[in-house]
C-alpha cells in the first residue's frame, strides 16, 4: 500500500463506530442462531454475517418458517440477551473442530477451506460457533433488535444445492435508532421502485426474459431523457462516442485478464467451434478501438464513451427489479491519458460527479479502494496508481475513507457512494486507474520527442447503469420526476367535452415547443381527472372550463405547489420551457431525519465466518 493510503487508513471516529455496529450485528446473528437451535435442535448452520444495516443467518431447517416462528425466535433471543452472557473466544485444531461440528456439514466445508491449522471459535452460553469474529463483550449489548424477514438462499450461490432459509434482522445501539430505522424501512416499502414502476407504468419484467427490463413508453422517455442529458454533458467535456460489437471471442477476455477473474459472470455461446461471449463490460473492446490507429501525444487525453447493451450472468436469486439485472446499459467511458495528465483528468471527473449528483440533490462520499489479493501486474505500478488517486483526492480537498483490498483486479479506484433521501448509502460512481490493460494490449502513442510510450487508462462510470440509476431516482424522488425528466410534463384536463378542442389546440402548441403533453379527453368528472393526474405525479396540470376559454387562459395546478391560479398559455409555456432547459429540480424531496445513523459496511460473509 502506498504511503498516502497508509495514512488514510488511520481510523476515524466514524470508521470506529462502523466497526462497533458490525460487531453488534454479527453478535446478534449468533444470538439468533442460538435461539433457532433452541426451537429446532436438528438445524444445520451455514453462515451469519453483519451487513450494511443489520445481519442475517442461513439455516437448513426441516420446514419453512412462518411469521409465528419469527416471533418465537425473537422471544428466545430476548431471553439470551437478558442473560447477558459473555462472548468467549477460543481456538481448536482443525481435527478437533471436525469432531465438534461432525453433524454440521456446512461448517465442515468451511473448516476444509481454512488455511491455518487452528480455527477460531466463539461461544456464548451453551452455544458454540465456528467464527473469525470479532464480537461485542456480552449478549446484553444487543437488546435493540428486530427480525425483519425470511428469504431463500443457496449455499455459496450454488443452485444445485438445497435452498437454505435466510433470516434477516437489524440491531442498533439505542431504542430510538431502532424505531427510526424501522420507520425509514416502512417509507422505503412505499417508495419501492418495483411498486412505483408498475403504478406509474414505467416498466415491467417477464419470465420469458429473466433479468431484463421491458421499458414502457413512459419509462423509456425517462431513460431517453437521462441519456440525452448525459450525451450533452459528455460532448461539452470533449468525449468521442463509439459503437462496438456485442459478442466477442473468449480470447479477447483472455487477453484482458477478465477470463481468469470474471468468466463465471459471462454468457458463453458456441459459434463455429469457437467460444463466444456476450459483452459483459466495455473496457476490453475499447482497447481494440485505441489500438486500431497510431496515436500522438497531441490526441491525449482521449476520452472515449460507448453506449452499448451489456450482459452479465447474475444468479437468479440475486435479480431484483432495476437494481440487479442481466441486461443493462452502462454510462462508462475510458480515458487514454499520458502519466502526467492523470491527476488533472481525475480532478475533472470529481467535479463532473459532483455536478451530476447535485442535479438530483444526492449527497455522496468518496472511498479509495486499494490493491486486492488477486491483483494483476507489478506492485510498484499499483503503488504509483494508488498514490495518483490519493493525490487527486487531496488536491481537491476531499475527505475520503479507505477500502483496503477492494480495488478492481487491474487497478485501484475511487468509489463514490451516494446517500438518497431515505439515508441509504448506495455505491454508484467509480473512477478506476489502470496501468494493466494498456500493457496487456500493447497500447502505444508517440511522445513529443518522437519516442513511443504506453498510455494509462482511466475507467469512469457515473450512473453505473441506466437501469440501476433510474431505480435509485424513483425511490429517492418517491416517483416524482422533475419536469425535465417527467414522462408527461403538462396534462390538459377539460372540465367537460365542450372544452376538448381548446385543450387540443393548446396541447399542439406545447408539443410544438418541445413539451410532452397529455390530453385527458375522457368523459369523466374533473375531480377524477385531477386525482388521476396527481397519482401519475404529473408536474403541471391544466384545468380548462368556460372562463379559461373565454379569456384565453389556463388554470394551473402543479404537483409541487398545488393550486397556482390562472395564467396565459404563453406565460405557462415559457415557464415550463425554462424549468426544462435549466433542468430544474422542481420537486419537494422528503428527506427523513437520518443524521443519527452511521451505517456499518457490508463485509464478505465468508471472511467474517470463514
Amino acid at each position: 500500500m502506498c504511503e498516502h493510503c497508509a495514512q488514510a487508513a488511520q481510523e476515524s471516529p466514524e470508521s470506529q463506530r462502523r466497526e462497533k455496529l458490525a460487531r453488534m450485528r454479527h453478535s446478534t446473528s449468533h444470538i439468533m442462531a442460538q435461539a433457532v437451535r433452541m426451537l429446532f435442535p436438528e438445524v444445520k448452520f451455514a453462515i451469519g454475517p453483519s451487513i450494511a444495516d443489520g445481519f442475517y443467518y442461513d439455516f437448513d431447517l426441516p420446514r419453512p418458517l412462518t411469521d409465528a416462528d419469527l416471533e418465537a425466535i425473537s422471544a428466545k433471543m430476548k431471553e439470551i440477551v437478558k442473560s447477558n452472557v459473555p462472548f468467549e473466544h477460543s481456538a481448536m485444531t482443525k481435527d478437533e473442530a471436525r469432531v465438534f461440528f461432525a453433524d454440521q456439514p456446512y461448517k465442515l466445508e468451511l473448516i476444509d477451506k481454512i488455511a491455518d491449522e487452528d480455527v477460531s471459535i466463539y461461544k456464548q452460553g451453551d452455544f458454540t460457533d465456528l467464527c473469525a469474529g470479532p464480537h461485542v463483550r456480552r449478549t446484553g449489548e444487543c437488546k435493540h433488535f428486530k427480525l425483519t424477514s425470511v428469504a431463500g438462499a443457496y449455499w455459496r450461490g450454488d443452485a444445485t444445492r438445497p435452498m437454505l432459509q435466510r433470516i434477516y434482522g437489524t440491531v442498533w445501539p439505542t431504542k430510538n435508532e431502532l424505531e427510526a430505522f424501522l420507520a425509514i424501512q416502512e417509507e422505503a416499502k412505499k417508495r419501492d421502485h418495483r411498486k412505483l414502476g408498475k403504478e406509474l407504468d414505467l416498466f415491467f419484467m417477464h419470465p420469458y426474459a429473466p433479468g431484463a427490463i421491458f421499458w414502457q413508453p413512459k419509462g423509456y422517455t425517462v431513460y431517453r431523457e437521462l441519456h440525452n442529458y448525459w450525451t450533452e454533458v459528455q460532448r461539452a467535456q470533449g468525449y468521442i462516442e463509439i459503437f462496438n460489437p456485442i459478442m466477442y471471442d473468449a480470447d479477447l477476455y483472455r487477453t484482458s485478464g477478465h477470463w481468469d477473474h470474471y468468466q463465471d459472470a459471462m454468457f458463453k455461446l458456441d459459434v463455429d467451434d469457437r467460444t463466444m461471449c456476450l459483452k459483459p463490460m466495455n473496457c476490453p473492446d475499447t482497447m481494440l478501438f485505441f489500438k486500431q490507429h497510431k496515436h500522438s501525444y497531441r490526441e491525449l487525453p482521449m476520452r472515449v464513451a460507448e453506449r452499448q447493451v451489456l450482459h452479465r450472468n447474475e444468479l437468479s436469486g440475486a435479480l431484483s427489479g432495476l437494481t440487479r439485472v442481466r441486461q443493462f446499459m452502462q454510462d462508462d467511458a475510458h480515458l487514454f491519458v499520458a502519466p502526467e495528465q492523470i491527476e488533472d483528468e481525475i480532478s475533472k471527473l470529481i467535479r463532473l460527479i459532483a455536478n451530476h449528483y447535485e442535479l438530483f440533490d444526492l449527497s455522496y462520499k468518496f472511498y479509495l479502494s486499494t490493491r486486492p489479493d488477486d491483483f494483476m501486474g507489478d506492485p510498484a505500478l499499483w503503488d504509483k496508481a494508488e498514490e495518483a488517486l490519493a493525490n487527486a483526492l487531496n488536491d481537491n480537498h476531499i475527505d475520503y475513507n479507505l477500502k483496503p483490498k477492494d480495488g478492481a483486479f487491474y487497478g485501484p479506484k475511487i468509489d463514490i457512494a451516494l446517500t438518497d433521501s431515505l439515508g441509504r448509502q448506495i455505491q454508484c460512481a467509480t473512477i478506476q486507474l489502470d496501468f494493466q490493460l494498456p500493457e496487456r494490449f500493447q497500447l502505444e502513442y508517440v511522445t513529443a520527442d518522437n519516442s513511443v510510450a504506453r498510455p494509462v487508462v482511466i475507467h469512469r462510470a457515473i450512473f453505473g447503469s441506466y437501469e440501476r440509476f433510474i431505480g435509485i431516482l424513483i425511490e429517492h424522488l418517491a416517483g416524482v420526476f422533475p419536469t425535465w425528466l417527467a414522462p408527461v410534463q403538462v396534462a390538459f384536463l377539460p372540465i367537460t367535452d365542450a372544452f376538448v378542442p381548446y385543450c387540443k389546440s393548446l396541447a399542439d402548441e406545447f408539443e410544438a415547443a418541445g413539451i410532452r403533453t397529455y390530453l385527458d379527453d375522457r368523459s369523466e368528472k374533473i375531480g377524477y381527472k385531477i386525482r388521476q393526474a396527481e397519482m401519475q405525479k404529473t408536474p403541471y396540470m391544466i384545468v380548462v372550463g368556460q372562463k379559461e376559454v373565454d379569456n384565453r387562459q389556463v388554470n394551473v395546478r402543479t404537483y409541487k405547489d398545488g393550486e397556482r391560479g390562472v395564467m396565459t398559455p404563453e406565460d405557462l409555456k415559457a415557464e415550463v420551457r425554462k424549468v426544462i432547459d435549466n433542468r430544474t429540480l422542481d420537486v419537494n424531496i422528503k428527506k427523513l431525519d437520518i443524521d443519527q445513523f452511521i451505517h456499518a459496511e457490508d463485509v464478505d460473509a465468508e471472511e467474517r465466518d470463514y
Side-chain angles (χ1 to χ4, degrees):
M1 185 185 299
C2 75
E3 181 181 352
H4 294 73
C5 298
Q7 292 174 353
Q10 298 296 320
E11 285 205 351
S12 66
E14 179 178 327
S15 65
Q16 290 175 14
R17 187 169 183 222
R18 288 181 188 277
E19 176 57 28
K20 288 180 180 179
L21 279 170
R23 288 181 182 224
M24 180 184 294
R25 288 163 180 169
H26 185 49
S27 301
T28 310
S29 79
H30 277 235
I31 293 171
M32 179 172 68
Q34 183 179 2
V36 168
R37 193 191 63 178
M38 294 166 72
L39 296 169
F40 300 92
E42 66 275 48
V43 62
K44 308 300 181 190
F45 298 103
I47 55 175
S50 63
I51 54 178
D53 289 318
F55 58 89
Y56 70 78
Y57 210 117
D58 290 341
F59 304 102
D60 191 340
L61 291 165
R63 63 169 175 81
L65 294 171
T66 64
D67 289 341
D69 290 323
L70 285 191
E71 292 178 10
I73 293 167
S74 182
K76 290 295 183 184
M77 290 174 67
K78 290 176 181 177
E79 293 176 11
I80 298 166
V81 168
K82 189 175 181 180
S83 70
N84 199 26
V85 296
F87 284 92
E88 299 174 300
H89 181 239
S90 61
M92 291 182 182
T93 67
K94 290 173 74 171
D95 288 340
E96 289 171 338
R98 289 187 183 100
V99 173
F100 187 88
F101 293 103
D103 63 342
Q104 294 292 329
Y106 304 104
K107 298 298 181 184
L108 293 175
E109 287 189 40
L110 293 173
I111 291 168
D112 289 340
K113 286 185 61 181
I114 297 171
D116 297 334
E117 286 304 311
D118 290 339
V119 299
S120 177
I121 302 295
Y122 273 88
K123 176 182 178 182
Q124 80 267 9
D126 65 353
F127 181 76
T128 301
D129 204 352
L130 178 74
C131 180
H135 286 279
V136 297
R137 292 170 298 176
R138 309 183 75 89
T139 60
E141 298 178 46
C142 303
K143 62 182 177 180
H144 303 298
F145 72 87
K146 172 76 173 178
L147 301 187
T148 55
S149 63
V150 179
Y154 290 112
W155 174 241
R156 294 179 176 171
D158 185 352
T160 65
R161 303 284 292 269
M163 182 172 284
L164 307 175
Q165 295 187 73
R166 175 173 293 177
I167 304 178
Y168 285 98
T170 190
V171 63
W172 293 88
T174 67
K175 182 180 179 181
N176 286 344
E177 285 177 291
L178 174 63
E179 290 177 349
F181 175 76
L182 294 175
I184 288 174
Q185 295 305 102
E186 285 303 309
E187 178 67 20
K189 291 178 183 178
K190 298 175 186 176
R191 299 189 187 192
D192 189 310
H193 73 275
R194 292 163 295 189
K195 173 179 177 289
L196 290 175
K198 183 176 181 180
E199 292 174 0
L200 300 175
D201 200 24
L202 300 175
F203 63 90
F204 69 93
M205 290 158 285
H206 196 280
Y208 284 166
I213 304 302
F214 292 78
W215 291 101
Q216 297 282 48
K218 289 183 177 180
Y220 191 61
T221 296
V222 175
Y223 194 108
R224 186 180 63 246
E225 288 301 315
L226 199 60
H227 177 66
N228 290 343
Y229 151 71
W230 198 235
T231 299
E232 179 183 314
V233 168
Q234 289 188 145
R235 284 175 180 163
Q237 294 277 330
Y239 284 76
I240 57 175
E241 193 165 358
I242 62 173
F243 191 73
N244 287 342
I246 198 171
M247 186 167 63
Y248 293 91
D249 191 296
D251 281 347
L252 172 67
Y253 303 106
R254 292 189 180 98
T255 300
S256 69
H258 287 87
W259 189 256
D260 293 334
H261 295 81
Y262 214 80
Q263 64 168 299
D264 290 343
M266 295 184 188
F267 285 104
K268 308 179 189 74
L269 304 91
D270 292 326
V271 180
D272 296 334
D273 297 323
R274 303 165 70 186
T275 299
M276 304 291 287
C277 304
L278 291 179
K279 182 159 86 162
M281 72 283 293
N282 290 318
C283 35
D285 54 280
T286 304
M287 303 303 115
L288 299 182
F289 160 79
F290 186 89
K291 195 175 177 66
Q292 186 67 19
H293 295 290
K294 187 175 182 179
H295 297 286
S296 162
Y297 72 97
R298 298 178 189 276
E299 298 175 72
L300 305 184
M302 181 184 292
R303 307 179 186 101
V304 184
E306 182 180 11
R307 182 174 182 255
Q308 178 61 280
V309 175
L310 305 177
H311 293 84
R312 294 183 185 171
N313 191 10
E314 301 281 1
L315 294 171
S316 59
L319 300 176
S320 179
L322 298 175
T323 57
R324 185 64 71 89
V325 293
R326 287 174 172 159
Q327 176 182 297
F328 57 96
M329 192 92 69
Q330 277 192 328
D331 72 318
D332 64 343
H334 298 86
L335 287 63
F336 297 86
V337 302
E340 63 272 15
Q341 297 170 328
I342 291 173
E343 291 181 27
D344 184 55
E345 284 301 301
I346 291 173
S347 293
K348 289 178 181 177
L349 291 175
I350 287 171
R351 291 192 291 271
L352 181 64
I353 289 166
N355 292 339
H356 170 64
Y357 286 156
E358 288 164 8
L359 182 66
F360 300 102
D361 195 18
L362 288 160
S363 59
Y364 47 90
K365 290 185 178 181
F366 288 81
Y367 296 87
L368 177 54
S369 299
T370 61
R371 181 168 69 235
D373 291 333
D374 64 341
F375 73 94
M376 179 175 69
D378 182 354
L381 285 178
W382 275 84
D383 288 345
K384 183 178 179 181
E386 289 175 5
E387 184 174 357
L389 292 180
N391 285 341
L393 289 165
N394 292 328
D395 290 347
N396 284 275
H397 309 291
I398 290 174
D399 292 328
Y400 64 93
N401 291 324
L402 199 69
K403 285 187 175 180
K405 299 185 178 183
D406 201 42
F409 69 89
Y410 50 79
K413 57 182 178 170
I414 296 172
D415 287 323
I416 298 90
L418 59 84
T419 301
D420 70 3
S421 58
L422 294 175
R424 299 172 301 186
Q425 195 172 95
I426 307 162
Q427 172 60 48
C428 229
T430 185
I431 302 170
Q432 302 174 0
L433 192 55
D434 181 5
F435 288 83
Q436 310 303 329
L437 287 184
E439 187 70 33
R440 294 179 75 95
F441 281 90
Q442 298 293 293
L443 304 185
E444 296 177 344
Y445 68 96
V446 179
T447 68
D449 63 5
N450 214 33
S451 62
V452 174
R454 191 85 70 211
V456 180
V457 172
I458 301 173
H459 304 243
R460 180 234 73 189
I462 311 298
F463 299 152
S465 77
Y466 283 84
E467 287 76 5
R468 186 165 177 264
F469 190 74
I470 290 173
I472 291 168
L473 278 185
I474 291 171
E475 297 185 4
H476 172 63
L477 301 172
V480 186
F481 292 108
T483 299
W484 71 273
L485 264 183
V488 173
Q489 295 165 326
V490 179
F492 290 94
L493 313 175
I495 293 176
T496 69
D497 292 349
F499 309 116
V500 169
Y502 178 67
C503 287
K504 176 68 168 62
S505 66
L506 291 179
D508 289 344
E509 289 181 27
F510 277 61
E511 287 283 347
I515 298 168
R516 295 185 291 276
T517 68
Y518 169 68
L519 170 58
D520 190 344
D521 57 0
R522 295 173 296 178
S523 298
E524 299 283 357
K525 293 182 179 180
I526 189 61
Y528 174 83
K529 292 181 179 181
I530 291 172
R531 285 194 301 275
Q532 289 295 302
E534 288 181 337
M535 288 175 64
Q536 289 297 302
K537 309 183 190 302
T538 309
Y540 286 84
M541 294 159 275
I542 311 306
V543 179
V544 172
Q546 190 62 54
K547 183 178 177 181
E548 287 74 30
V549 172
D550 291 344
N551 296 315
R552 186 169 164 73
Q553 292 178 325
V554 289
N555 196 318
V556 180
R557 297 174 61 93
T558 67
Y559 192 87
K560 180 176 182 284
D561 300 319
E563 286 279 1
R564 285 269 304 274
V566 296
M567 297 176 67
T568 67
E570 290 72 25
D571 286 345
L572 175 62
K573 191 192 310 176
E575 176 183 322
V576 176
R577 266 281 27 124
K578 183 177 180 180
V579 297
I580 292 171
D581 293 341
N582 293 339
R583 294 194 171 96
T584 305
L585 188 63
D586 53 343
V587 174
N588 291 322
I589 300 178
K590 179 184 177 183
K591 290 192 174 183
L592 300 190
D593 181 15
I594 46 82
D595 289 342
Q596 73 271 37
F597 292 122
I598 293 179
H599 302 274
E601 299 286 357
D602 278 330
V603 298
D604 182 84
E606 291 195 14
E607 177 185 322
R608 180 72 75 173
D609 273 271
Y610 290 119

